[in-house]
Every structure is written in C-alpha cells, then in structure tokens.
Amino acid sequence: MKVYMDNNATTSLDKSVLQEMLPYYTDIYGNASSKFYEVGRVAEKAVLEIRERVAKQLGAKTNEIYFTSSGCEADNWAIKGVAFANKEKGNHIITSKIEHHAILSACEFLEKHGFDVTYLDVDSVGRVNPEDVLKAITDKTILVSIMTANNEIGTIEPISEIAKICKEKKIIFHTDCVQAIGHMPISVSELGADMISISAHKFHGPKGVGVLYIRNGVRIDNLIHGGGQERGKRAATENVAGMAGLCKALELANENLDEKISHMTKMRDKLIKGILDRIPYCKLNGPYDDTRLCNNVNFSFQYIEGESILMMLDMHGIAASSGSACASGSLDPSHVLLAIGLPHEIAHGSLRLSVGEDTTEEEVDYVLEVLPPIIERLRMMSPLYEEVIRSN
Ligand SMILES: *Cc1c(COP(=O)(O)O)cnc(C)c1O
C-alpha cells in the first residue's frame, strides 16, 4: 500500500488543474505582454480573466493580485518590499518565532541591513498572543507578519485580532496563508490583512507559482526588477500556465470546502486518537481544538529520532515528515518545536502526518497498524528507553 501523508509539504496536482494548464504549454504559447499579434493577445486576455477569478476567490480587487514564483517569493517580497519602501518611517518589524523560514530568513537578512526585528514567543501550543503584538509595537514599527496557520504543528493564529491592532496603529500587516488555503475559508476582507501569501502546490495546484495579495495603498518596493509585468511591480514574462493552474486549483479548493474540512478533520482525529491509544510516551504538538489545521497531526515520541521513524515508514510505503528542519535537510530540531518549549531530545523524535481531501479511512488504519510496532522497535534499540523500562 502506498500512503501519502505529507500534504503540508506539497499536494498532488489535480487532473482538471493540469487540463486547464496544458493549452498554455501548446497552442497559447504567446507572450502575454505581446499585444501586436493574436497569440499574444489571447495569452494577455487569459491573464486578465485569471486575475479576476483569483481576486474573486480571495475577496480582493483584481488589481490587488500579484503573481509570484512561489510562496517563498511572496513572503520575501512582502517583508523586504515593505521594509525598504517604508524605511524613512521606521526600521522595526514584528514577527513570531514559528514563522516559515521564508519569513524568518528574510527578517534575518534585513537585520544585516539596519532593521530591528522582534521575534515574538508563542505559548505551548504555538499561539501568538495579540497582546504581545500590541506591546511590541513602537513608533518605529512599520510591519507585522504573523502566519495564519503553522505548517508544522497546525496552529491557527488569531489573525483578525492581530489585524485589528495593526489597523488601529496604522502598521502594515502581512500574513502567510500558504497552509490555510484549502483548509479554512480565506477572504482578505474578513482576515483584515494588508497582504497575504499563497502557494498553488499546497492546494493541488502546480509547483512554482504563488500570489501576493497587496491591498491598494500599501507602499512596497519591487523584489524582482525588470519589465513592466504585474503592473510594474514584479518583472518576468507571465507564467500563464502556472497562473491558470493556481486559479483552477483555488476554485476547486473552495468548492465544497466545509465537506472537505469535515472529512480531513475526521481523518486527523482518527489518527490522533489512534496514536494516543496505541503508543505510550508520546505527545501531540499543537492545539487539539478548532484552532488546529484540519489536516495536520504532529507527535513527539520520546527516546527515538524522527528520521528513523521516517525511514521505516518509507519501507512500508508511507510518506511523512519529521520535526527536523525539513527544507534544509538539516538534523537540527525544528525551530517551531523548540519555540513551543520542547527540549531538544524530544523535539528530535517528532513526526508530522498531514492528510488530504483524498485520504481514506483504510489509509489511516494502515498507518495506525504500521506505526506502533515501528516506534516499539526503535525504542528497543534506545539505551534511554531500556532504562525507563527497567526503572518501571
Ligand atoms: C510551503 C510553505 C511556504 C513556501 O511556499 P513555496 O511555494 O514552497 O515556496 C511558505 N509558508 C508556509 C507556511 C508554507 O507551508
């Protein structure tokens, strides 16, 4: 059996999304900025329509949608673009310790260029306290960036409250919505954010295309300089196929969203309960209520290493992820798990299982059958665990 349980890392490309993209790789190959002949105009018209459809899905205006090459680019643009465009107003940025590296590394880069960054602590389930945002604001603060939902432990942050505080203080507020799309309803007016980032491959769209929503009136510098695409704010020949794919995937993600959320929640809870029932010495990371992303499960298993669990799951055809800094391939424990207060040795033994709308009960049952003996076997090889057993 092959089971894919790493939907927080990426998702499969929906077949109808691919269908929507294909014409832009074949017949409609024109450059969307070439208006003097038909194949260019067709591409241009497609981009206009796609932008409108994406705006409608996000509750935004058409001229507030900017296509990027990824979620990482959208995040980097939001942080660096606002910082450099507003530096005469102030040099202070507020974010949290559990943001994606696209945000954290962009902030660290800005610290080398004269900006001050406050990295807010989170509580034991990964929640940012809006009061802490308020307290951190100074007369130099120009930007607050707090993610809507965390990609590792699934915490959904109190975004509307934070947005309200920023609005009152007239500070630009950005939120990384990459994990939120397809897992909760997202409308920019309801969120109250000035900027949001999304990425198509996290909701059954293609890799390599994202959107930065920028509310009209936000002052932001370009990240990619060159031609006049994206209303002069983001150069590069339009990736029309990618845009079409993102658009279709977004529409599909929002279709019957409630049903999909309830299915994913059911699969998530079956996994959580099953693991808690079957495996001793484990801890669920992140909240266990309606502020948890509907598709995310994250456990720490004492006395073992996350990587060994992944290898053994892979031998059984199960794709999952560990609590180590996944993207870098490094073995450092995750900054998110450390931020919620896990000691290094426990953070190391972490496993993330993220379900999708297509995850079945049979797949969950299979994981619940395979995982407990794997954990038991790995613990049997651990001298620490041996001591625990002996002292009991
Ligand atoms: C995946 C992810 C990103 C990066 O998106 P890419 O399109 O892969 O660059 C950013 N933020 C969060 C929360 C993510 O999960």
Side-chain angles (χ1 to χ4, degrees):
M1 195 164 180
K2 289 266 182 260
V3 177
Y4 184 75
M5 288 227 178
D6 204 12
N7 287 278
N8 288 148
T10 196
T11 57
S12 59
L13 182 69
D14 188 284
K15 299 246 168 10
S16 60
V17 169
L18 177 63
Q19 285 308 320
E20 194 108 345
M21 296 171 68
L22 285 175
Y24 302 103
Y25 287 120
T26 52
D27 298 343
I28 314 172
Y29 52 80
N31 187 320
S33 300
S34 303
K35 300 166 203 237
F36 292 105
Y37 43 78
E38 193 186 349
V39 75
R41 281 193 300 270
V42 176
E44 186 199 18
K45 187 159 171 275
V47 169
L48 283 173
E49 281 170 16
I50 288 164
R51 205 183 296 282
E52 258 168 42
R53 283 161 61 188
V54 169
K56 188 170 169 225
Q57 289 299 316
L58 296 175
K61 298 191 187 84
T62 309
N63 65 359
E64 295 173 322
I65 301 299
Y66 295 85
F67 286 96
T68 66
S69 71
S70 61
C72 280
E73 189 196 319
D75 282 348
N76 268 266
W77 185 13
I79 299 289
K80 295 174 193 168
V82 166
F84 287 120
N86 295 276
K87 67 174 189 292
E88 74 289 348
K89 275 198 214 150
N91 68 340
H92 181 232
I93 296 165
I94 299 170
T95 186
S96 83
K97 286 186 177 164
I98 65 160
E99 298 300 309
H100 191 272
H101 283 295
I103 297 289
L104 292 176
S105 302
C107 286
E108 283 155 22
F109 167 81
L110 288 175
E111 284 183 288
K112 287 191 254 166
H113 292 271
F115 290 89
D116 276 333
V117 183
T118 301
Y119 300 91
L120 294 176
D121 284 321
V122 293
D123 70 10
S124 63
V125 294
R127 194 163 300 121
V128 173
N129 186 342
E131 286 278 303
D132 292 346
V133 176
L134 184 62
K135 279 186 221 144
I137 292 173
T138 71
D139 54 4
K140 293 259 190 308
T141 310
I142 50 173
L143 172 68
V144 173
S145 179
I146 305 288
M147 69 201 320
T148 300
N150 182 268
N151 47 306
E152 291 190 35
I153 58 171
T155 315
I156 296 172
E157 302 294 344
I159 292 305
S160 311
E161 280 174 70
I162 297 169
K164 208 177 288 167
I165 291 168
C166 294
K167 196 169 179 188
E168 271 164 29
K169 297 281 179 183
K170 296 195 168 55
I171 293 163
I172 297 171
F173 177 55
H174 166 259
T175 182
D176 176 331
C177 281
V178 173
Q179 290 292 341
I181 301 285
H183 303 134
M184 52 195 278
I186 290 297
S187 134
V188 292
S189 51
E190 256 166 62
L191 279 178
D194 297 308
M195 296 188 285
I196 75 166
S197 306
I198 74 171
S199 174
H201 76 96
K202 299 289 173 77
F203 50 91
H204 300 283
K207 288 162 185 66
V209 58
V211 160
L212 181 63
Y213 154 81
I214 308 175
R215 195 175 51 71
N216 284 333
V218 169
R219 274 177 66 181
I220 185 164
D221 275 355
N222 288 15
L223 186 67
I224 312 281
H225 297 93
Q229 293 90 350
E230 301 298 310
R231 290 175 301 283
K233 280 205 179 352
R234 198 268 184 189
T237 300
E238 289 86 351
N239 170 12
V240 189
M243 294 172 175
L246 181 144
C247 176
K248 179 71 176 172
L250 183 58
E251 288 172 347
L252 288 175
N254 286 337
E255 220 173 87
N256 305 322
L257 183 57
D258 288 348
E259 270 167 51
K260 288 181 212 158
I261 290 172
S262 84
H263 173 73
M264 285 185 267
T265 306
K266 199 170 146 207
M267 297 301 107
R268 176 196 76 183
D269 291 349
K270 191 174 159 90
L271 272 172
I272 292 177
K273 288 199 191 84
I275 290 171
L276 288 172
D277 283 350
R278 289 171 177 79
I279 304 178
Y281 308 109
C282 69
K283 176 187 177 293
L284 176 69
N285 297 313
Y288 194 19
D289 55 29
D290 58 5
T291 63
R292 185 181 196 101
L293 213 52
C294 66
N295 80 330
N296 171 285
V297 175
N298 186 310
F299 271 98
S300 291
F301 301 102
Q302 267 178 278
Y303 316 115
I304 47 177
E305 298 276 334
E307 281 68 35
S308 338
I309 310 174
L310 293 189
M311 279 195 307
M312 295 187 71
L313 285 175
D314 180 44
M315 287 194 273
H316 289 84
I318 300 168
S321 162
S322 85
S324 292
C326 47
S328 60
S330 110
L331 291 182
D332 292 340
S334 126
H335 64 289
V336 177
L337 296 178
L338 295 180
I340 62 171
L342 291 195
H344 274 249
E345 66 274 16
I346 295 180
H348 263 300
S350 297
L351 173 70
R352 180 183 74 185
L353 296 163
S354 42
V355 302
E357 56 194 66
D358 45 3
T359 299
T360 63
E361 296 233 16
E362 290 69 45
E363 290 176 331
V364 172
D365 286 334
Y366 178 63
V367 171
L368 289 176
E369 180 194 310
V370 166
L371 185 62
I374 289 178
I375 302 291
E376 182 64 14
R377 210 173 127 203
L378 290 172
R379 280 179 173 166
M380 284 309 173
M381 297 190 272
S382 148
L384 273 171
Y385 189 62
E386 220 174 293
E387 261 171 53
V388 173
I389 297 287
R390 219 177 299 136
S391 65
N392 274 355

